[in-house]
Amino acid sequence: MSDTPVVDEDLVALLRADLTAARFTVHGVADRLGPVASAALHREQPLPALLATERSGTRDTSDTSDTSDTADTAADDACGVLIRLFTLGRPVPASALASALPTLGVEGAVALGLVRVGGGRAGVAAGRSTPPEREVAATCDLRPYGDDAHDWWVASDLSELVVGGPLRRDHVLGIGGASTTLASWTVRRPVERALDLGTGCGVQALHLTGHARAIVATDISERALAYAAFNVALAASEHSGAVPPFELLAGDLLDPVAGQRFSLVVSNPPFVITPRDEALPLYEYRDGGRAGDALVRSLVRQVGTVLEPGGIAQFLGNWEVPAGRTWRDVWGDWLEEQARDGIALDAWVVQRESQDPAEYAELWARDGGALPGSEAHSQMYAAWLRDFASRDVERVGFGVVTLQRPATDRPTWRSLDEAHGPVSAPMGPAIDAGLRARTWLAEHSDDDVLDVAWSCAPDVTEERHGRPGAEDPSVILVRQGGGLGRVVRAGTLLAAYLGVADGELTARAALDAIAEVLALEPEQVRAETLPQLRDLVADGLLV
Ligand SMILES: C[S@@+](CC[C@H](N)C(=O)[O-])C[C@H]1O[C@@H](n2cnc3c(N)ncnc32)[C@H](O)[C@@H]1O
């Protein structure tokens, strides 16, 4: 493909060595830019970073005593040159790039499809005019990315800011908020085979290299697959050691992997609800070519067919909530449909956000690059509102979905939770613990729950609120520091139990003792407290 990076293993290894030596890594870039410009760049405001790298690799035309050439400046500030070229999309002199990538060289970068060489501007140095120097422009965005254990780089299409015009339909997106949300929520158990559906630039696949023995990544876009191949090759080149076997397949949703089985499926699918309207630009990265929320719904219905027993699927999604229904009703229908059509799955859906149609339209019209107030923006906005009205949609939910195929023929469980506030980062360990706890609860009776000596998790605190001067609190809140950050209002019985839940006494013994102190029937105390215990165990407040 002529407009995507090329995998040439020898050149890719040189690129990696040069990027590492230049400290063009997550930490290196943060150090080079400083906190203000780094934070602005995260908000997609490039100006402070442009100013901070203004002199990187450029000739100083004012200081006539400086006879050093461009290459020396660039060698001293290779990271600045690479930020300016690949992240900010500004041309740099060819000599500056040659110094910043000393083993790959400009020719190597051209051969990899990362840059093109164009004309240049004449300069002035030491009081004399200098001939025009060739300039190099990036043909893709390339930036460092990583987790605790890895330095990676991710190439993707140049952003709208750099292109200065509308994006192409098959634009390959870089790492965005949705990518990092899914990466954070993914359960990172060691697994045999993992699937990244709709891999785009391959960011989820990069994360999977840390805990899957084999990875399949799919996309409907050939350009996305080319980028993913390049990014995984860059991760695999000699300095980081081998990555697991990695296969790229083209096709729609699960079609390319029909008949295969995975222990983990992750997907940040093109879930954006987009009107089927000629006037609207369609982008492959966010629109899967279906009306309404049909793409996410069909993923829910079909994903069980590729999960092995005990396997997990995690993806992001939007769902429409029509008038007179709740988001839980909608999910109830989807899960019933799923169980009817295939193997019934456990389901844990966490709704993180809910917007009305206008809020949703504003968000996505802005993402298309149209300025609020412009004719194009008004057209898009109206198209979204008409589309939602045609299905009587009142709200649009967004959240993270975790589905699990039971390993045995036990009944499935279902948790439909809302968490709009901050959650643990990463969230994967809490999801992992929550899956295990919910599965344990599904496999054990109330008597089994009572026979465990639970303890309050270390991140749980209690808040007592009361009228000034009152002896007893009128409200007791139990707050989880990590996980979903749950806050539970505790009545007298639950507060008393949590006060003694230190892992020594079984829940049965503790509740019986509380019943005796309060002169209540033990059966009544157990019956009242058990649903709350199950709830707190499921979310990790009791462990
Ligand atoms: C939002 S991007 C996600 C990219 C990347 N996985 C991430 O987490 O940032 C969605 C990806 O799904 C791909 N896609 C769109 N429609 C698809 C379909 N029907 N089947 C498979 N992939 C599709 C797009 O090309 C795009 O690369």
Side-chain angles (χ1 to χ4, degrees):
M1 207 159 289
S2 62
D3 57 355
T4 52
V6 174
V7 177
D8 172 319
E9 280 174 17
D10 294 338
L11 293 181
V12 164
L14 297 179
L15 173 66
R16 183 181 175 95
D18 284 345
L19 297 178
T20 308
R23 287 205 70 227
F24 189 56
T25 57
V26 173
H27 292 303
V29 167
D31 290 347
R32 172 62 187 80
L33 291 180
V36 174
S38 292
L41 204 52
H42 278 122
R43 299 192 300 272
E44 293 184 24
Q45 295 294 335
L47 191 66
L50 279 167
L51 294 177
T53 57
E54 210 163 22
R55 288 164 57 92
S56 303
T58 57
R59 284 181 235 214
D60 187 342
T61 55
S62 59
D63 181 359
T64 52
S65 66
D66 180 6
T67 53
S68 64
D69 67 11
T70 315
D72 291 336
T73 325
D76 291 345
D77 187 17
C79 188
V81 171
L82 297 173
I83 294 171
R84 206 164 167 83
L85 176 68
F86 285 124
T87 310
L88 303 173
R90 293 299 158 111
V92 299
S95 59
L97 184 63
S99 300
L101 300 177
T103 63
L104 179 67
V106 174
E107 271 180 29
V110 172
L112 283 177
L114 301 175
V115 300
R116 69 184 147 66
V117 182
R121 281 166 299 182
V124 180
R128 27 188 184 86
S129 62
T130 56
E133 193 188 351
R134 290 180 314 151
E135 281 191 325
V136 180
T139 49
C140 65
D141 186 294
L142 178 70
R143 46 185 92 194
Y145 178 68
D147 65 8
D148 290 344
H150 302 94
D151 277 326
W152 295 311
W153 291 270
V154 172
S156 61
D157 274 335
L158 290 168
S159 72
E160 212 171 331
L161 280 176
V162 173
V163 175
L167 300 176
R168 48 194 289 173
R169 187 194 156 98
D170 57 359
H171 176 81
V172 178
L173 199 64
I175 294 166
S179 328
T180 50
T181 298
L182 177 64
S184 167
W185 285 62
T186 300
V187 171
R188 304 264 170 228
R189 293 178 196 166
V191 289
E192 210 45 51
R193 298 190 79 230
L195 169 67
D196 173 15
L197 191 157
T199 191
C201 61
V203 47
Q204 309 303 334
L206 287 178
H207 282 282
L208 293 173
T209 60
H211 62 111
R213 287 169 67 92
I215 301 160
V216 178
T218 67
D219 206 290
I220 205 157
S221 154
E222 293 284 353
R223 296 190 68 249
L225 292 172
Y227 270 110
F230 179 81
N231 291 330
V232 171
L234 191 49
S237 56
E238 55 183 357
H239 289 275
S240 68
V243 298
F246 180 74
E247 192 183 0
L248 287 163
L249 299 173
D252 183 39
L253 291 186
L254 292 160
D255 289 355
V257 291
Q260 300 194 31
R261 289 277 184 276
F262 299 92
S263 339
L264 176 64
V265 176
V266 293
S267 183
N268 169 12
F271 58 78
V272 179
I273 297 166
T274 314
R276 307 283 105 199
D277 185 316
E278 303 271 300
L280 244 69
L282 294 179
Y283 300 116
E284 264 175 357
Y285 70 82
R286 65 177 207 193
D287 170 52
R290 271 88 164 164
D293 53 19
L295 184 132
V296 176
R297 184 175 187 159
S298 76
L299 201 51
V300 173
R301 207 170 50 230
Q302 294 170 20
V303 76
T305 60
V306 299
L307 285 179
E308 63 181 27
I312 299 167
Q314 292 189 278
F315 49 91
L316 306 179
N318 271 138
W319 37 90
E320 295 182 338
V321 184
R325 311 208 68 208
T326 67
W327 75 273
R328 290 188 173 87
D329 295 337
V330 170
W331 267 95
D333 291 351
W334 287 12
L335 293 171
E336 257 144 52
E337 182 179 79
Q338 187 280 319
R340 218 177 27 242
D341 288 2
I343 303 151
L345 302 176
D346 299 322
W348 187 3
V349 184
V350 182
Q351 178 163 288
R352 297 282 288 145
E353 234 178 276
S354 160
Q355 292 177 304
D356 68 31
E359 288 170 319
Y360 192 86
E362 285 158 28
L363 173 71
W364 292 107
R366 218 171 31 239
D367 176 76
L371 289 177
S374 66
E375 182 57 31
H377 186 272
S378 303
Q379 263 187 20
M380 288 192 216
Y381 200 156
W384 251 292
L385 294 181
R386 278 195 303 272
D387 185 50
F388 283 132
S390 73
R391 291 185 297 278
D392 208 11
V393 173
E394 262 186 358
R395 308 279 317 167
V396 182
F398 164 80
V400 190
V401 180
T402 304
L403 303 175
Q404 175 179 252
R405 179 172 169 184
T408 61
D409 60 1
R410 66 166 167 78
T412 55
W413 53 259
R414 191 182 286 184
S415 266
L416 304 178
D417 299 331
E418 274 190 84
H420 291 215
V423 296
S424 271
M427 186 59 195
I431 296 292
D432 193 357
L435 282 173
R436 292 180 198 277
R438 284 164 172 76
T439 302
W440 186 91
L441 288 166
E443 288 171 344
H444 290 81
S445 67
D446 285 347
D447 276 336
D448 295 332
V449 175
L450 287 170
D451 287 336
V452 175
W454 302 101
S455 37
C456 245
D459 64 340
V460 171
T461 52
E462 185 186 89
E463 290 170 18
R464 291 168 173 259
H465 301 264
R467 298 286 306 154
E471 218 167 87
D472 294 321
S474 43
V475 175
I476 299 177
L477 297 180
V478 176
R479 190 179 288 276
Q480 182 183 31
L484 289 172
R486 287 201 55 192
V487 180
V488 177
R489 189 170 171 161
T492 313
L493 295 180
L494 184 61
Y497 173 67
L498 293 177
V500 296
D502 59 1
E504 295 287 319
L505 217 54
T506 63
R508 186 189 303 280
L511 291 176
D512 285 356
I514 291 166
E516 198 175 324
V517 172
L518 297 177
L520 295 169
E521 285 301 318
E523 290 75 20
Q524 183 200 337
V525 170
R526 279 183 225 141
E528 206 175 300
T529 318
L530 253 164
Q532 296 170 313
L533 291 198
R534 281 186 167 269
D535 188 37
L536 298 186
V537 169
D539 275 338
L541 286 84
L542 282 175
V543 291

